[in-house]
Amino acid sequence: MYIDFDTEIDREGTNSIKWEFHNHGGVPGQHWDRASRRHGANRTLAMWVADMDFRCPEPVIAAMRDRVEHGIFGYSNKTDSYFEAVTAWFARRQGWPVQKEWIVTTPGVVPTLNVVVRGFTQPGDKVIVQRPVYYPFFRVAKNNGAEIVSNGLIYENGSYRMDLEDLERKAADPKAKLFILCSPHNPIGKVWGADELRAVAEICARHGVLVVADEIHGDLLLPGVRFTAFATLGEVAADNTIVCTAPSKTFNLARLHTSIVIIPNRAIRERFQTALATASMPGMNPFGIVATEAAYREGEPWLNSVMEYVAGNARRMTEFFAAELPKLKVVQPEGTYLLWFDCTALGLDKDQLESLMLDKAKIYFDEGYIFGDEGIGFERINIACPRSILDEALNRMRDAIRSL
């Protein structure tokens, strides 16, 4: 089916965080400036936060339009139809027979992580992450008195792998209580294989470390790539995990608060629900329920088209770097619509690199250093955008770097 992803959609005047605000220091909620960037040739290109510049699937828009026409937006709850749509999606896309009773809904994955850290650790306990990694992981630990421990990924020959020996050592610490797995991994775009994930499951179970699997990008796969849901790896994995996911990244529904938490282990699920009740988190809003059901029932053709387009953007960027900017290297993505690229050969420190891209090239990326020290010298770009925006960004990078 043909879907137009090439036409730029002007997002000015929609309160878009991506296009109308600047976040200093990569800390959401702090030091925000409101400043529109859409000013013709002088605009700053917003290619940072994981928010697509594509319209949602038309069935989702139609379902929400029908809900708006009803005119009453009171307290809402999930129905059997909702659960049927959700469980059918996981069965079809991931081969995972999720049971209705395993599902808990929350406003978002980051709020969920805060609840998990608060409910499953004590102040001074340790939370293991794999840097460079999605930076809110650091904040949710700090917010709740836990210490972040990095099981840093190994970067070799332009790609990443897990350091399982280091994970074994760090999981053996009696203070280690949680391991936050990012799968597919943000920012590097790696889709972890079954063998690596099974090793993680065994290490964490052996040492009594609970796995919290952030799988929010699990549906965003480049053509030919297969995703392994962590809890499908057998009883050892399923019995020791909290899975966090959502249709939000998949279908561009970020602010509809549609997070889905899947916990097969009843005791862990009940403990999580107690922590959730203590946090007084609200239930889903009526639009989130409608959008989730419509997306999971009718959004698959749109998603497949998006990922084909994203794959084309990744090829475009890889080929451009090879021809025009050979010092820059793309870490070849397998999933997500976020692309991680290596700028270390430029020999710039983190502040110089940020200034080059933001002030000179006028492109707003998520700077690599906000994902941990292991990300210094890298940039994360959101390529879920019309090709004209990507081409403009590539040309600006070339011109800025050649002027060094």
Side-chain angles (χ1 to χ4, degrees):
M1 67 184 293
Y2 172 74
I3 303 172
D4 179 12
F5 297 123
D6 287 320
T7 299
E8 289 189 33
I9 299 172
D10 188 347
R11 298 180 64 181
E12 189 172 10
T14 63
N15 300 320
S16 166
I17 286 177
K18 182 178 182 180
W19 280 98
E20 297 184 75
F21 291 81
H22 179 239
N23 178 20
H24 298 278
V27 183
Q30 298 181 21
H31 309 300
W32 288 98
D33 286 343
R34 182 179 180 95
S36 174
R37 294 188 170 71
R38 298 186 66 82
H39 297 295
N42 293 319
R43 65 178 178 173
T44 298
L45 299 177
M47 307 187 80
W48 61 295
V49 69
D51 171 341
M52 300 185 199
D53 285 319
F54 306 139
R55 281 171 59 89
C56 297
E58 287 302 321
V60 173
I61 296 170
M64 292 180 68
R65 186 180 294 118
D66 289 345
R67 186 65 183 84
V68 166
E69 287 301 319
H70 183 266
I72 299 175
F73 313 117
Y75 301 116
S76 303
N77 210 341
K78 302 168 293 296
T79 63
D80 286 343
S81 181
Y82 167 89
F83 286 108
E84 289 166 3
V86 171
T87 56
W89 178 265
F90 287 105
R92 183 172 68 255
R93 294 283 298 194
Q94 300 181 8
W96 186 13
V98 173
Q99 304 301 303
K100 173 182 174 181
E101 59 269 20
W102 298 352
I103 296 173
V104 183
T105 55
T106 67
V109 167
V110 173
T112 298
L113 295 176
N114 274 281
V115 170
V116 171
V117 176
R118 186 177 304 172
F120 291 83
T121 69
Q122 298 295 322
D125 284 343
K126 296 179 178 180
V127 177
I128 303 170
V129 301
Q130 295 179 312
R131 298 191 323 202
V133 76
Y134 184 50
Y135 52 88
F137 291 178
F138 315 148
R139 190 171 68 252
V140 300
K142 182 180 179 181
N143 285 351
N144 296 286
E147 178 186 342
I148 281 286
V149 175
S150 180
N151 166 228
L153 299 175
I154 297 172
Y155 181 58
E156 290 179 334
N157 301 317
S159 64
Y160 287 86
R161 61 182 174 87
M162 292 187 187
D163 187 341
L164 295 172
E165 291 182 4
D166 182 68
L167 177 59
E168 182 87 55
R169 287 191 296 271
K170 287 171 176 171
D173 184 338
K175 284 285 188 179
K177 302 299 181 184
L178 297 176
F179 171 75
I180 304 180
L181 170 71
C182 198
S183 179
H185 193 94
N186 174 10
I188 68 173
K190 178 79 171 184
V191 178
W192 302 116
D195 289 344
E196 283 175 301
L197 294 175
R198 193 171 289 109
V200 167
E202 292 169 356
I203 290 169
C204 289
R206 184 158 53 245
H207 297 291
V209 175
L210 178 64
V211 177
V212 187
D214 176 359
E215 297 184 350
I216 197 168
H217 294 278
D219 294 316
L220 296 162
L221 306 174
L222 272 68
V225 177
R226 179 182 176 84
F227 171 71
T228 301
F230 188 79
T232 64
L233 292 169
E235 286 188 20
V236 170
D239 219 35
N240 188 46
T241 186
I242 295 173
V243 175
C244 303
T245 187
S248 55
K249 299 301 182 193
T250 308
F251 298 105
N252 210 25
L253 310 173
R255 275 298 188 239
L256 293 184
H257 302 299
T258 56
S259 179
I260 297 167
V261 184
I262 305 172
I263 312 175
N265 183 304
R266 180 176 177 178
I268 294 174
R269 185 169 65 251
E270 290 177 350
R271 184 173 175 182
F272 173 77
Q273 289 172 314
T274 298
L276 189 64
T278 302
S280 298
M281 280 195 182
M284 292 180 73
N285 68 64
F287 296 107
I289 294 171
V290 166
T292 296
E293 185 170 344
Y296 280 157
R297 289 191 187 281
E298 302 180 74
E300 197 162 15
W302 178 92
L303 173 60
N304 293 338
S305 296
V306 163
M307 294 314 296
E308 288 176 3
Y309 194 88
V310 166
N313 277 352
R315 287 192 299 272
R316 186 89 144 221
M317 189 162 171
T318 300
E319 291 165 0
F320 186 93
F321 279 5
E324 303 283 345
L325 293 170
K327 287 187 175 182
L328 305 190
K329 305 296 181 185
V330 170
V331 176
Q332 289 301 314
E334 298 171 338
T336 82
Y337 49 79
L338 306 168
L339 194 146
W340 185 243
F341 63 101
D342 183 349
C343 306
T344 55
L346 295 177
L348 305 177
D349 66 28
K350 66 183 182 67
D351 295 325
Q352 291 170 327
L353 180 60
E354 182 171 14
S355 179
L356 175 72
M357 297 301 185
L358 182 58
D359 300 326
K360 196 160 190 177
K362 293 187 178 178
I363 311 168
Y364 188 12
F365 294 133
D366 263 336
E367 299 297 322
Y369 66 82
I370 69 175
F371 300 92
D373 287 348
E374 296 86 345
I376 292 173
F378 290 75
E379 299 279 9
R380 192 192 78 172
I381 179 175
N382 179 343
I383 58 171
C385 62
R387 205 147 287 155
S388 58
I389 292 178
L390 178 64
D391 286 345
E392 186 176 349
L394 293 173
N395 289 329
R396 289 185 186 195
M397 277 192 277
R398 178 196 59 207
D399 294 346
I401 290 169
R402 287 181 177 177
S403 71
L404 289 174

